[in-house]
Amino acid sequence: MADALTPPRQRLSKRQRRERTRKIALWSYVGFFYAFLYVPIALLIVLSFNNSDVVGLPLRGVTLRWYNEVFGSADLIRSIVNSALLGTVSAIVATTLALLLALGFRTDFPMKAWVMRMLLLPILIPGIVGGVVYLVTFGYGGMPFGVWTSTLPVHITWVLPFAFLTLFPRVHGLDPSLEEAATDLGATPFVAFRRVIFPLIKPGVIATAMFSFTLSFEEFIRTLFVIGSDRTVPVHLWTLLSDQAAPFLPAVGVVIMAVSIFASLIGFVLSAQADRGRAKVT
Amino acid sequence: MLPATIWLLVFAVAPVVLLFAMSFWTSSIFGTEPDFTLENYKVVTEDPIYLLILLQTLRIAATVTLISLLVSYPIAYFLASLKGLSKTIFIIVLFLPFWSSYVVRTFVWLPMLGRNGLVNSFLMAIGVTDAPLDWLLYNEGATHIGLVYVYTLFMTLPIYLSLDRMDPNLIEAAADLGAGPIRTFFRVILPLSMPGVISGCVMVFLLGCGAYVTPQLLGGTTGIMFGNLIATQYTTTNNWALGAALSVVLILVVGLCLAIFGRRARISDIFIRT
């Protein structure tokens, strides 16, 4: 009788109650974590509109003058153009090289493990050394520093292992007998690739190229040491940061963040679409 | 296949070989000349600053790895427990900040922790302190916060992937067999997520050891790391040979740590992003 009168909430078993507490704890922790991720970014956005000559609080009204200053800067525009072009060329070359490697890696060949080690070397070298090593090489080799001379090969080499690791699982399952059948039927290896292999792996190739683009777009430390007097977006921000009093810095940060997130978001959507396309094929 | 291999030999292997060779060369005001001397390594071992900063770097990288692990594990667990649309949304929202360059992601902490930053304003508003605190920024603590903030995704993602692959029936089975939640976690969930945990730890530790931007922007003079010492040889003192020797030391130390802890790490877990 007493049991029937107690409200249903209290009739939860000990286990269910514990489960509920655990859920509440987890959700509150998740809230804290996402706040940790986003509060600094939100603050940056707020400060970018702050009508104050000092970066920081208190808020002194809303202004767009920092954005005017930023978009009026030819340096920033040029660095965005540089980053976009560099990212595009790096992505195309790195994806092509990664594709060659991925197709080759389907079969065993001598020294395979060593080629793999060489491929992973750029990721396993600590970041700062990754920059220094090219400064030393190109500096000693007499290569002029700039976006299209020294920076491009550095970006391609940096992006290549990631491109391979993204592409390989999508190429791996490809049956080599497809190519064999095509060549048996009289297709040249090139035609076999273009008409049989490529259509099957196209979504994966697009996803890899987009991912490579964003990696190149965001690369900083390796670029800093070899770019000379040219600027990419992250290097441009870095040079501005050495003058820490500049009141337009939050606006620069917001613009740069928006550009990179936008570029990555396009890549994400395209590669998701590509994956969906792949799911339909198989 | 062949063009890619040649590319790797020229642009990935040769530069590292040159760096290694240069660590035995001599730098003077006239430039860096080929030589075979152990002088640079002698400087590295004799001046205590290098060993000190190296140890500090390993310590910071290890602490950052541990903090990231503790911070990220529950998030990875949470993401793995979600389904459908909410899962996609939470994952995209997690990725978004990491899609911008880590220079920006480090920079956001300057207005957070600075003299007239958010933390100080908040502390003053609730009356904890009357004057802004100066010790929030430009020290080891700030370096830690910055590094955890910048690298935490590299921990969350591999753990999430290994938890997501886990068969949920295993947890139910453990509960049916009478294991409490704590026991289930330590005996079933944690061991099964170990590959992800190791991958994440290796990745964050590696990134932490090579850090330059975060300690440079947030670390002040006490929070600097080995990367800053290396960079100085190229940006200010122009001692390329010594910088090469320091780089070789860092590569060897990190390589050793990887050889010990990294054997079980799955490279593909670490690097595949989506």
Side-chain angles (χ1 to χ4, degrees), chain A residues 98-161:
Chain A
L99 184 59
L100 293 174
L101 284 168
L103 290 171
F105 262 69
R106 284 179 304 164
T107 50
D108 278 327
F109 55 88
M111 313 276 279
K112 188 176 178 179
W114 282 98
V115 176
M116 188 68 186
R117 272 177 211 147
M118 277 178 8
L119 181 61
L120 294 178
L121 192 64
I123 329 188
L124 295 177
I125 295 271
I128 178 76
V129 180
V132 163
V133 80
Y134 292 109
L135 170 70
V136 162
T137 308
F138 293 141
Y140 192 73
M143 166 101 85
F145 291 120
V147 173
W148 299 110
T149 48
S150 51
T151 314
L152 180 63
V154 171
H155 273 230
I156 293 169
T157 314
W158 162 244
V159 166
L160 182 55

Side-chain angles (χ1 to χ4, degrees), chain A residues 66-281:
Chain A
W66 307 132
Y67 283 98
N68 277 328
E69 214 161 300
V70 168
F71 287 118
S73 138
D75 285 345
L76 180 77
I77 307 296
R78 206 173 307 131
S79 70
I80 293 178
V81 172
N82 273 344
S83 282
L85 291 176
L86 184 64
T88 309
V89 178
S90 307
I92 293 171
V93 179
T95 308
T96 311
L97 292 176
L99 184 59
L100 293 174
L101 284 168
L103 290 171
F105 262 69
R106 284 179 304 164
T107 50
D108 278 327
F109 55 88
M111 313 276 279
K112 188 176 178 179
W114 282 98
V115 176
M116 188 68 186
R117 272 177 211 147
M118 277 178 8
L119 181 61
L120 294 178
L121 192 64
I123 329 188
L124 295 177
I125 295 271
I128 178 76
V129 180
V132 163
V133 80
Y134 292 109
L135 170 70
V136 162
T137 308
F138 293 141
Y140 192 73
M143 166 101 85
F145 291 120
V147 173
W148 299 110
T149 48
S150 51
T151 314
L152 180 63
V154 171
H155 273 230
I156 293 169
T157 314
W158 162 244
V159 166
L160 182 55
F162 294 97
F164 173 80
L165 291 170
T166 318
L167 197 53
F168 185 58
R170 299 162 197 242
V171 173
H172 183 62
L174 220 57
D175 192 346
S177 58
L178 284 171
E179 277 160 291
E180 269 165 43
T183 39
D184 284 351
L185 291 170
T188 61
F190 177 72
V191 172
F193 174 78
R194 200 172 57 93
R195 301 288 295 273
V196 180
I197 304 297
F198 190 70
L200 285 172
I201 53 171
K202 195 173 151 201
V205 173
I206 293 172
T208 306
M210 293 309 301
F211 179 39
S212 305
F213 175 84
T214 60
L215 273 174
S216 160
F217 198 88
E218 288 155 24
E219 211 303 308
F220 170 69
I221 187 81
R222 292 157 192 84
T223 315
L224 178 70
F225 283 95
V226 294
I227 196 154
S229 55
D230 287 344
R231 293 287 168 263
T232 61
V233 172
V235 173
H236 180 63
L237 177 65
W238 181 257
T239 49
L240 290 175
L241 279 173
S242 47
D243 174 24
Q244 286 187 3
F248 55 81
L249 274 177
V252 179
V254 170
V255 170
I256 289 178
M257 199 175 253
V259 171
S260 352
I261 289 181
F262 182 68
S264 303
L265 203 61
I266 292 179
F268 182 81
V269 170
L270 279 180
S271 74
Q273 271 175 354
D275 275 345
R276 221 173 298 138
R278 182 172 68 142
K280 250 179 244 158
V281 169

Side-chain angles (χ1 to χ4, degrees), chain B residues 91-108:
Chain B
I91 289 180
I92 291 180
V93 174
L94 175 74
F95 267 90
L96 271 182
F98 293 90
W99 279 339
S100 60
S101 173
Y102 55 75
V103 181
V104 188
R105 276 184 280 140
T106 304
F107 163 60
V108 294

Side-chain angles (χ1 to χ4, degrees), chain B residues 136-198:
Chain B
L136 293 175
L137 205 52
Y138 305 127
N139 54 39
E140 232 192 277
T143 301
H144 275 93
I145 295 179
L147 287 175
V148 170
Y149 186 78
V150 170
Y151 294 141
T152 186
L153 183 71
F154 297 98
M155 183 69 85
T156 316
L157 196 62
I159 301 178
Y160 159 73
L161 287 175
S162 60
L163 283 173
D164 201 46
R165 270 197 293 259
M166 198 163 68
D167 185 352
N169 290 329
L170 289 172
I171 299 168
E172 228 165 275
D176 289 348
L177 292 169
I182 295 172
R183 212 163 130 180
T184 310
F185 177 77
F186 281 104
R187 299 296 290 275
V188 180
I189 300 174
L190 188 61
L192 284 171
S193 62
M194 257 344 238
V197 170
I198 293 171

Side-chain angles (χ1 to χ4, degrees), chain B residues 7 10 17 25 35 37 43 59 70 73 83 99 115 120 123 128 143 158-159 174 193-194 224 231 233 236 240 245 261:
Chain B
W7 180 279
V10 173
V17 173
W25 293 7
D35 196 354
T37 170
V43 173
R59 180 168 52 76
L70 296 177
Y73 200 101
K83 278 181 196 71
W99 279 339
R115 269 187 75 84
N120 266 322
L123 291 178
V128 173
T143 301
I159 301 178
S193 62
M194 257 344 238
I224 65 161
Q233 310 308 321
T236 42
W240 285 22
F261 301 108

